[in-house]
């Protein structure tokens, strides 16, 4: 899809690179992430309205540290450097960066010294920002003036207004910087003079038109998992090409309670979309493959490989298709090393290689420009029900990794029922949207209990609820004790095979969000 105006983020290995881009898009301006290795000629061709340099783990004055050519700051395009990006700007343009006498980490009181007409328009004289640096700018580059400082950082921000170059030592993209959104808005909309026309209704309309033009009278095949990304993609394709789309939904029996029927209810014969929908109920096949397998990574591989086999069988029945659709979204692109510098390869996502088991001519990925929150907005624009659009992140292997040890039909039933009760009670308490992710998992621990006048020897269910911004780190949610008590009581009374319920308080790190 053609984009009239955009701001680009140049990534120097910062952990918040995607968050910076998301904050720009919240200003209704399209944004993409590129590695610092991107040639200057390519950046010129993109003709961005503004450029943002991210943080990074290096010291810009050390040999071999990530850098960029001085020409970047001579293009006449506004540039905003954040943390390492600010230090690099000063270093390249003739300032000085050194080890800080006092390192700053966390929330820091900051005094605004400069004009309130540009970057800090509308910001109080004192505000709280998020610092994370061990180097500092000891001398600003020629032409710059200091526009903010802290007790320990003489250059918390500097600006060269004539050239529209700005360097800020703190991170405006994180929520801990109290007026961070406003500062980024001032740069993106004010200094860069963008119109702010990037909106989801226009994205949906334009993408539907692009799909129709590209597909023509061709046929499209989609593996529909029932997750948010594939469901929004299915709805988008359905609106664009209708019966030219075939969705294959492989129900591996490891979904949450009732989810398979919910997916069929939306996309099946009696659903909202006029497409070809194939549901393959493959639960018994998966249970057989997983029999006796306890190691989490092996379970992942078996579930993934079996999905390929089932999908391949159905695809062969369909025959040749013109396009294979994939629910790739922008974080997948970035984390595959195709969009930025901070590479975190996901072993299961679908960027970087085309399946060789389906007879198709070309691949299409209409959502590859979008972050997850934007995918959800697109889903609502397309008329998908809220319960599907706001479905929480769910691992590809499903309950297979929320069951510790061997996966059996009996264990799946236990965790489905326990999870259903947990979700229902949080909803009844008005807490359904407070934790960013919550679920019940089944431990492989069995213990003695007493129920009625009989001793039992049953499983322990583990409840998990976390709060997070980006799922890179997470803290356990403080669910009210009376709610946990109700959940515990219902699970033990209603779910056969459980006599103990525990709540997991582990943060990430050292733990993960999932229990596997």
């Amino acid at each position: 899809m053609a984009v009239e105006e955009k701001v680009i983020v140049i990534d120097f290995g910062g952990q918040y690179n995607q968050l910076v881009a998301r904050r720009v898009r919240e200003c209704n301006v399209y944004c993409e992430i590129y590695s610092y290795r991107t040639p200057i000629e390519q950046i010129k061709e993109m003709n961005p309205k503004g450029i943002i340099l991210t943080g990074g783990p290096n010291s810009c004055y050390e040999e071999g540290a990530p850098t960029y050519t001085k020409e970047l700051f001579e293009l006449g395009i506004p540039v905003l450097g954040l943390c390492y990006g600010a230090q690099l700007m000063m270093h390249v343009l003739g300032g000085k960066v050194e080890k800080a006498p006092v390192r700053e980490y966390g929330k820091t009181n900051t005094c605004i010294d400069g004009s309130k007409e540009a970057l800090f328009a509308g910001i109080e004289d004192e505000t709280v920002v998020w610092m994370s640096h061990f180097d500092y700018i000891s001398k600003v580059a020629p032409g710059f003036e200091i526009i903010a400082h802290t007790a320990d950082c003489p250059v918390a921000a500097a600006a060269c207004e004539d050239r529209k170059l700005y360097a800020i030592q703190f991170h405006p993209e994180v929520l801990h910087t109290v007026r961070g959104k406003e500062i980024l808005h001032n740069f993106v909309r004010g200094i860069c003079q963008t119109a702010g026309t990037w909106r989801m209704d226009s994205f949906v309309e334009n993408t539907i038109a692009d799909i129709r033009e590209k597909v023509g009278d061709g046929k499209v095949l989609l593996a529909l998992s029932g997750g948010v990304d594939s469901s929004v993609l299915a709805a988008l394709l359905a609106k664009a090409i209708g019966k030219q789309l075939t969705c294959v939904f492989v129900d591996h029996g490891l979904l949450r309670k009732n989810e398979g029927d919910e997916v069929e209810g939306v996309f099946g014969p009696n659903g909202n979309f006029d497409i070809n929908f194939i549901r393959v109920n493959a639960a018994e096949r998966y249970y057989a493959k997983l029999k006796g397998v306890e190691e989490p990574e092996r379970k992942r591989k078996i579930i993934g490989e079996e999905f390929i086999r089932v999908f391949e069988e159905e695809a062969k029945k369909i025959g040749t298709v013109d396009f294979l659709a994939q629910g790739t979204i922008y974080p997948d692109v970035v984390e595959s090393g195709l969009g930025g510098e901070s590479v975190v390869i996901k072993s299961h996502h679908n960027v970087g290689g085309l399946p060789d088991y389906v007879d198709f001519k070309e691949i299409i990925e209409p959502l590859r420009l979008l972050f997850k929150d934007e995918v959800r907005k697109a889903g609502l624009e397309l008329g998908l029900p809220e319960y599907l659009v706001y479905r929480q992140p769910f691992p590809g292997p499903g309950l297979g990794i929320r069951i510790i040890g061997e996966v059996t039909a009996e264990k799946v039933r236990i965790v489905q029922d326990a999870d259903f009760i947990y979700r229902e009670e949080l909803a009844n308490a008005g807490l359904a949207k407070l934790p960013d992710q919550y679920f019940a998992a089944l431990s492989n621990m069995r213990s003695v209990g007493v129920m009625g006048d009989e001793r039992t020897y049953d499983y322990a269910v583990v409840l998990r609820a976390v709060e997070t911004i980006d799922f890179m780190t997470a803290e356990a949610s403080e669910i009210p004790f009376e709610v946990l008590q109700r959940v515990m009581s219902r699970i033990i009374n209603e779910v056969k095979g459980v006599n103990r319920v525990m709540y997991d308080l582990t943060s990430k790190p050292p733990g993960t969000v999932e229990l596997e």
Side-chain angles (χ1 to χ4, degrees):
M1 189 189 81
V3 179
E4 293 182 2
E5 61 178 16
K6 67 180 174 182
V7 168
I8 67 170
V9 171
I10 297 181
D11 182 17
F12 291 91
Q15 61 178 319
Y16 300 128
N17 62 349
Q18 292 186 35
L19 194 54
V20 174
R22 284 180 58 190
R23 292 287 180 257
V24 173
R25 293 193 187 185
E26 287 171 4
C27 298
N28 298 119
V29 176
Y30 182 63
C31 184
E32 289 183 337
I33 302 169
Y34 292 89
S35 166
Y36 71 88
R37 294 181 174 87
T38 305
I40 189 70
E41 291 76 17
Q42 185 177 340
I43 290 177
K44 288 179 182 178
E45 290 174 4
M46 287 187 271
N47 192 29
K49 298 285 285 187
I51 299 169
I52 299 177
L53 313 181
T54 73
N58 302 94
S59 294
C60 64
Y61 48 80
E62 292 181 345
E63 185 176 352
T67 189
Y68 210 88
T69 173
K70 185 179 179 181
E71 188 179 354
L72 181 75
F73 306 103
E74 300 170 344
L75 298 176
I77 298 170
V79 181
L80 173 64
L82 310 179
C83 197
Y84 181 87
Q87 296 169 4
L88 181 66
M89 183 186 295
M90 294 297 102
H91 179 70
V92 170
L93 295 178
K96 191 171 184 180
V97 178
E98 301 178 87
K99 288 288 183 189
V102 179
R103 300 181 178 189
E104 286 183 311
Y105 292 100
K107 294 181 180 180
T108 307
N109 290 324
T110 301
C111 298
I112 307 301
D113 304 313
S115 167
K116 297 292 188 68
E117 297 180 359
L119 191 65
F120 293 139
I123 308 300
E124 301 84 355
D125 291 341
E126 291 190 20
T127 186
V128 175
V129 305
W130 183 261
M131 288 285 192
S132 178
H133 66 101
F134 51 82
D135 288 335
Y136 82 122
I137 299 166
S138 58
K139 178 184 175 182
V140 297
F144 283 79
E145 65 171 316
I146 298 170
I147 59 174
H149 75 277
T150 73
D152 296 312
C153 183
V155 186
C160 180
E161 298 286 0
D162 293 342
R163 299 166 66 186
K164 294 186 177 179
L165 303 178
Y166 302 87
I168 57 179
Q169 184 60 68
F170 54 89
H171 289 274
E173 69 273 21
V174 302
L175 296 179
H176 305 298
T177 296
V178 175
R179 302 300 295 276
K181 289 185 178 181
E182 290 87 345
I183 293 169
L184 285 173
H185 191 277
N186 287 340
F187 177 74
V188 171
R189 295 293 295 274
I191 294 168
C192 298
Q193 297 184 338
T194 55
T197 55
W198 169 256
R199 289 184 170 83
M200 207 41 57
D201 53 355
S202 58
F203 170 84
V204 169
E205 181 180 342
N206 293 336
T207 303
I208 286 173
D210 290 346
I211 291 170
R212 285 173 178 161
E213 181 179 356
K214 185 177 185 67
V215 172
D217 59 358
K219 295 180 179 179
V220 179
L221 177 63
L222 168 65
L224 177 62
S225 70
V228 176
D229 301 338
S230 71
S231 295
V232 172
L233 177 56
L236 189 63
L237 291 167
K239 291 279 189 181
I241 58 173
K243 282 287 192 182
Q244 293 168 247
L245 170 66
T246 297
C247 289
V248 176
F249 170 47
V250 179
D251 186 348
H252 49 31
L254 302 171
L255 297 173
R256 288 167 287 206
K257 189 171 184 176
N258 301 330
E259 277 193 348
D261 293 338
E262 289 173 358
V263 172
E264 183 169 359
V266 173
F267 294 103
N270 300 315
N272 306 332
F273 301 98
D274 187 23
I275 62 173
N276 299 304
F277 176 82
I278 300 170
R279 177 176 180 176
V280 184
N281 294 307
E284 295 304 321
R285 178 170 173 171
Y286 274 85
Y287 297 156
K289 288 285 184 179
L290 292 167
K291 184 177 177 61
V293 179
E294 297 187 2
E295 201 273 319
E297 189 60 26
R298 191 173 166 217
K299 287 194 286 186
R300 281 180 176 273
K301 290 179 178 177
I302 289 172
I303 293 168
E305 289 170 0
E306 196 61 20
F307 171 83
I308 291 174
R309 300 285 81 80
V310 176
F311 186 61
E312 178 184 22
E313 291 168 11
E314 295 302 319
K316 285 179 177 177
K317 295 175 187 176
I318 296 167
T320 303
V321 295
D322 300 284
F323 300 91
L324 179 69
Q326 291 190 161
T328 307
I329 64 175
Y330 197 53
D332 295 335
V333 176
V334 175
E335 291 169 2
S336 294
L338 304 178
E341 187 59 28
S342 306
V343 181
V344 182
I345 298 296
K346 289 182 180 178
S347 62
H348 60 273
H349 72 51
N350 47 17
V351 176
L354 303 185
D356 56 6
Y357 52 84
V358 178
D359 191 5
F360 68 97
K361 299 176 183 177
E362 191 175 345
I363 195 165
I364 55 173
E365 299 170 311
L367 301 180
R368 68 181 286 117
L369 297 178
L370 303 186
F371 286 100
K372 178 71 77 173
D373 55 333
E374 294 170 325
V375 173
R376 295 187 197 278
K377 290 176 184 176
L380 295 176
E381 286 286 335
L382 291 161
L384 288 174
E386 280 201 15
Y387 69 79
L388 198 158
V389 170
Y390 287 104
R391 182 168 283 166
Q392 291 193 352
F394 191 60
L399 300 180
I401 59 170
R402 291 184 181 171
I403 295 171
I404 310 303
E406 182 185 14
V407 175
T408 66
E410 176 68 3
K411 288 182 177 180
V412 170
R413 177 196 61 78
I414 290 173
V415 77
Q416 283 180 335
D417 289 347
D419 185 76
F420 185 84
I421 290 170
Y422 186 27
R423 292 176 175 280
E424 189 171 66
E425 286 300 325
L426 285 189
N428 291 342
L431 302 174
K433 291 188 177 181
L434 288 184
D436 293 293
Q437 188 169 7
Y438 52 94
F439 56 86
L442 185 63
S443 75
N444 60 354
M445 183 184 83
R446 300 181 74 182
S447 62
V448 174
V450 178
M451 300 178 73
D453 294 324
E454 296 182 354
R455 291 168 69 85
T456 61
Y457 185 63
D458 287 328
Y459 287 103
V461 162
V462 180
L463 304 179
R464 182 80 159 134
V466 299
E467 295 175 9
T468 178
I469 294 175
D470 53 13
F471 286 89
M472 294 170 64
T473 62
E475 295 290 337
S477 298
E478 295 186 25
I479 304 296
F481 188 71
E482 61 271 19
V483 176
L484 292 175
Q485 284 282 84
R486 286 198 298 272
V487 175
M488 176 274 299
S489 179
R490 283 195 59 192
I491 289 176
I492 288 177
N493 286 320
E494 299 176 30
V495 183
K496 185 180 178 182
V498 178
N499 66 0
R500 195 175 295 264
V501 176
M502 300 181 290
Y503 187 67
D504 183 5
L505 293 172
T506 314
S507 62
K508 175 187 178 182
T512 61
V513 173
E514 300 288 344
L515 267 65
E516 57 174 321

